[in-house]
Amino acid sequence: MVKKNDSLERCFCDVIHEDVVRKVKSKMPKEETLYDLAELFKVFGDSTRIKILWALEEAEMCVCDIAALLNMTQSAISHQLRVLKQAKLVKNRKEGKVVYYSLDDEHVRAIFQQGLAHINE
Amino acid sequence: MVKKNDSLERCFCDVIHEDVVRKVKSKMPKEETLYDLAELFKVFGDSTRIKILWALEEAEMCVCDIAALLNMTQSAISHQLRVLKQAKLVKNRKEGKVVYYSLDDEHVRAIFQQGLAHINE
DNA sequence: GCAACATATGAACAGTTGCTCACATATTCA
DNA sequence: TGAATATGTGAGCAACTGTTCATATGTTGC
């Protein structure tokens, strides 16, 4: 295949569609924004975390409650809650030994709804 | 730690919060639904696929156009388009040698918007 | 202080993912 | 038919992910 730039192989479509590609390129958000968006959806891309978020939408719960609800170990839940907290999707408050987690974002429900709308097509 | 059922360790919170856990459990969607939801978001959880979807929101494009736009190999893009198509997020039409891809879902924009809303907090 | 409890965390391990590379398939045109 | 073009795909691989296990941290009540 013909080399048309210094790094990657190209096809002739690029030349034909050059204006379209340039237009789309100019409208793309910043690389960093798209990366952050992917990182956010990556957090949603695990069924354990989805379950935790869905549960916390119903009620504030402590770590072992969630573990019992999902029939998983406390350790596994704790690890996932850490991921969710880093993504600023959940927050927690401490009451003695017990740490209660709750949702920290009003978009979670909307994101779930849109996702479900796609699945139920 | 005390064994309180046949499979997993439990804490005493479960007993105290038993009613809350049961209430939440009764309100949870089907296991399968939550799994499918996670699978969908997993598709959104990669910056290459996010970029492709964002690009296709602007214009229908062929494989090599997308490859040129994102400065990636045709093969890498083709692999990812396959994933997006299996998730029913994109569709394609063939015109001679060239295969044009476009969005196949009206929820993509809404999902992106909600994701961005969370990021820009 | 110490025993019991609730949670957090690091290491390890198996399973998954996204890219590259080589090659297959499909279409056009001379 | 055969060369050129555009796309699809399987194998291989380095990197990442989610769980388990052992253990650490922090809190309560005696």
Side-chain angles (χ1 to χ4, degrees):
Chain A
M1 197 166 284
V2 191
K3 285 270 179 185
K4 285 191 287 177
N5 75 353
D6 54 352
S7 62
L8 285 170
E9 56 187 48
R10 289 282 180 85
C11 66
F12 291 119
C13 293
D14 298 353
V15 183
I16 302 164
H17 303 144
E18 199 177 356
D19 49 343
V20 176
V21 173
R22 192 164 34 218
K23 190 202 108 200
V24 171
K25 199 164 204 166
S26 72
K27 288 203 170 190
M28 293 282 282
K30 275 194 299 181
E31 173 87 19
E32 191 198 345
T33 303
L34 296 175
Y35 180 81
D36 290 345
L37 205 51
E39 287 301 301
L40 175 63
F41 288 126
K42 208 170 282 182
V43 176
F44 284 93
D46 175 79
S47 58
T48 300
R49 289 192 292 266
I50 288 277
K51 286 175 194 169
I52 293 175
L53 289 173
W54 203 285
L56 294 181
E57 216 166 71
E58 292 298 332
E60 175 189 69
M61 296 175 87
C62 73
V63 180
C64 71
D65 286 341
I66 302 173
L69 173 69
L70 304 186
N71 209 45
M72 292 179 66
T73 65
Q74 169 269 319
S75 178
I77 300 300
S78 189
H79 277 297
Q80 296 296 18
L81 283 169
R82 187 157 163 269
V83 174
L84 290 169
K85 198 181 178 191
Q86 281 174 339
K88 295 184 181 173
L89 292 171
V90 305
K91 60 178 186 289
N92 56 12
R93 69 182 178 85
K94 202 164 184 178
E95 196 171 288
K97 289 176 291 192
V98 184
V99 180
Y100 290 95
Y101 282 83
S102 58
L103 279 195
D104 190 26
D105 189 281
E106 73 274 24
H107 307 104
V108 172
R109 192 182 291 268
I111 292 175
F112 279 0
Q113 291 311 320
Q114 291 298 322
L116 282 178
H118 172 74
I119 290 170
N120 301 323
E121 261 182 354
Chain B
M1 198 164 284
V2 190
K3 284 272 179 184
K4 286 191 287 175
N5 75 355
D6 54 350
S7 63
L8 282 171
E9 56 185 49
R10 289 282 181 85
C11 66
F12 291 119
C13 291
D14 299 354
V15 183
I16 302 164
H17 304 143
E18 200 178 355
D19 50 341
V20 175
V21 173
R22 192 165 32 217
K23 191 202 109 199
V24 171
K25 200 164 202 165
S26 73
K27 287 202 169 191
M28 293 283 282
K30 274 194 301 182
E31 172 87 18
E32 192 197 345
T33 304
L34 296 175
Y35 180 81
D36 290 346
L37 205 51
E39 286 302 301
L40 175 64
F41 288 127
K42 210 171 280 182
V43 176
F44 284 92
D46 175 78
S47 59
T48 300
R49 290 192 291 266
I50 287 276
K51 285 175 194 169
I52 293 174
L53 289 173
W54 203 287
L56 293 182
E57 215 167 71
E58 293 297 333
E60 175 189 69
M61 296 175 87
C62 73
V63 180
C64 72
D65 285 342
I66 301 173
L69 172 69
L70 303 186
N71 210 45
M72 293 179 65
T73 64
Q74 171 269 317
S75 179
I77 299 300
S78 189
H79 278 296
Q80 296 295 18
L81 284 169
R82 188 157 162 270
V83 174
L84 290 169
K85 199 181 176 192
Q86 280 174 340
K88 296 183 180 174
L89 292 171
V90 305
K91 60 178 187 288
N92 56 12
R93 70 182 177 84
K94 202 163 184 179
E95 196 171 289
K97 289 176 291 193
V98 183
V99 180
Y100 290 96
Y101 281 83
S102 57
L103 280 195
D104 190 25
D105 188 281
E106 74 272 26
H107 307 105
V108 173
R109 192 182 292 266
I111 292 175
F112 280 1
Q113 291 310 321
Q114 291 298 324
L116 282 178
H118 171 75
I119 290 170
N120 300 322
E121 259 181 357

